């Protein structure tokens, strides 16, 4: 096995560490014996150079702007297959046959109802509760309604648990939305497909027809597929961290939802539209770009930059193309689209953004499409939750199979006082 040698410049002592090769991507130095060998810790805030696990689910090449789920290019999946195909691919490991997909679809439809008692939880929230607060609470509460998933150990049990949460999350999302408006709750309609049913539960009024256009279903299907998985991002790492303690899988999912909420992560999609509305017109773009570049101003251009992508986020590319294709059919707000395009144009030619490799990310364009689907800003991160739930639960299952898994417990460099006396 190839090794890397580290020499301590203070005393000349050398230590050797194995190099583990992935199937593709950078090699990994195995530092599990680092403390034992050297008596030192490694220091890596934000885990910029640290792999926390081995995984065969998703591969990202940030320099090339490449994303693959189980080996399949994201563009192929987003343009040629459906979100449910992608869910099946992630959960089971292969793209489903037509028969498998029909069975999977039917199972998800049937599991979409939530316990009647869970609805009471929504009545207890204040009128102005943010849908993300309701959503994370409701998913956490699901662990009480399905406590039997706490100590599961077989693949069959994992799949039931996973499909149950995938099916119920859109229902909980619609309940969060309807509670925030104070309008009557709508039951799932299992005659409708996954996406159509979600839009129906969001929009329907009792005893009135609900019109959902195919173009809307296509747009949301693509958005969900693009959000489905993204390896060890902050929310997925949170899910894995909680899962490593042996907590209930839905408690881990709820923790993931809370981690996603922040504006540096999934909350960015809500902030992007708020920012585009604040900028308001093309002639104000330069002023805000200047603010974003000012080291003394903490204003950031939302929807720009990514820890891993140092090139165009491939998901943003697909969404931009989708926007152009569907803008007339969907009725995209053309003023905001113009502002977004101008920001992109200015940023991509500006030295500050070029030097730091800051490109538009997935959140830059998703909000414009979601607005056209009549989804309010406060629900944008919930859309991310629905799409990503399959990724979180797939990673949860992978962790349970991982023989090298240990409780997530980082070390620290202590900088506080020593030996204070009372
Ligand atoms: N606008 C202006 N400057 C930025 C931006 C931005 N959006 N993003 C990063 N920078 C600058 C930052 O100030 C720093 O400059 P300097 O080197 O002079 O101090 C440099 O670029 C590196 O930034 P960083 O914060 O160290 O980079 P990171 O990898 O830790 O953070 C990020 C990545 C996504 C949190 C960050 O780019 C950001 O805050 N972007 C805006 C929020 C956003 O769009 N988030 C959605 C991410 S994609 C969806 C998801 O998967 O969650």
């Amino acid at each position: 096995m190839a090794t890397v040698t580290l020499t301590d410049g203070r005393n000349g002592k050398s230590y050797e560490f194995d190099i583990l090769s992935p199937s593709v991507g950078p090699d990994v130095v195995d530092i599990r014996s680092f403390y034992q060998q050297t008596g030192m810790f490694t220091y890596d805030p934000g885990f910029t150079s640290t792999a926390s696990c081995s995984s065969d689910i998703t591969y990202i090449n940030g320099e090339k702007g490449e994303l693959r789920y189980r080996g399949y290019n994201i563009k192929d999946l987003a343009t040629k297959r459906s979100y449910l195909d992608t869910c099946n691919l992630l959960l089971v490991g292969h793209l489903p046959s037509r028969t498998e997909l029909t069975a999977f679809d039917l199972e998800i439809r049937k599991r979409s109802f939530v316990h009647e008692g869970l609805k009471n939880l929504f009545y207890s929230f204040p009128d102005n509760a943010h849908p993300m607060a309701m959503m994370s609470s409701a998913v956490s509460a699901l662990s009480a309604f399905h406590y039997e998933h706490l100590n599961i150990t077989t693949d069959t049990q994992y799949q039931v648990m996973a499909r149950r949460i995938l099916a119920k999350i859109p229902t909980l999302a619609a309940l969060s939305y309807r509670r925030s408006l104070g309008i009557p709750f709508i039951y799932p309609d299992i005659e409708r497909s996954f996406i159509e049913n979600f839009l129906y539960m969001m929009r329907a009024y009792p005893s009135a027809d609900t019109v959902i256009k195919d173009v809307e279903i296509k747009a949301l299907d693509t958005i969900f597929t693009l959000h489905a998985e993204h390896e060890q991002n902050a929310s997925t790492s949170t899910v894995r961290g909680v899962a490593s303690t042996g907590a209930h899988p839905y408690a881990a999912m709820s923790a993931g939802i809370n981690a996603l909420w922040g504006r540096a992560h999934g909350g960015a999609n809500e902030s992007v539209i708020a920012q585009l509305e604040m900028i308001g017109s093309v002639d104000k773009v330069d002023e805000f770009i200047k603010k974003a570049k000012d080291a003394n101003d903490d204003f950031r251009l939302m929807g720009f930059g990514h820890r891993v992508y140092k090139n165009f986020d491939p998901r943003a590319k697909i969404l931009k193309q989708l926007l152009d294709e569907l803008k007339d059919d969907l009725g995209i707000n053309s003023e905001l689209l113009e502002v977004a395009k101008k920001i992109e144009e200015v940023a991509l030619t500006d030295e500050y953004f070029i030097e730091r490799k800051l490109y538009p990310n997935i959140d830059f364009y998703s909000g414009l499409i979601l607005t056209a689907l009549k989804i309010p800003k406060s629900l944008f991160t919930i859309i991310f939750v629905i799409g990503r739930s399959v990724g979180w639960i797939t990673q949860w299952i992978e962790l349970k199979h991982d023989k090298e898994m240990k409780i997530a417990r980082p070390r620290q460099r202590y900088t506080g006082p020593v030996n204070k006396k009372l």
Side-chain angles (χ1 to χ4, degrees), residues 264-265 268 300-307 352 356 358 361 363:
H265 193 7
R300 280 194 171 197
L301 210 49
M302 299 313 289
F304 264 79
H306 198 275
R307 168 63 61 80
Y352 174 94
R356 290 167 182 75
L358 301 171
N361 59 50
D363 294 318

Side-chain angles (χ1 to χ4, degrees), residues 114-180:
V114 297
H115 192 286
E116 285 293 301
L118 194 55
K119 287 201 286 191
N120 294 328
L121 177 74
F122 287 90
Y123 295 120
S124 66
F125 290 115
D127 287 342
N128 61 355
H130 193 283
M132 281 293 280
M134 292 191 257
M135 190 70 187
S136 66
S137 309
V139 170
S140 186
L142 265 191
S143 60
F145 290 90
H146 300 284
Y147 186 68
E148 71 276 17
H149 295 323
L150 179 63
N151 291 316
I152 52 180
T153 50
T154 67
D155 278 330
T156 310
Q157 291 170 325
Y158 292 157
Q159 288 295 326
V160 171
M161 176 280 294
R163 289 158 194 230
R164 188 166 263 152
I165 190 81
L166 286 189
K168 293 185 195 319
I169 277 208
T171 311
L172 296 176
L175 287 173
S176 307
Y177 171 59
R178 298 186 80 92
R179 174 62 191 90
S180 69

Side-chain angles (χ1 to χ4, degrees), residues 92-93 293 393:
V92 182
K293 288 161 42 176
I393 214 63

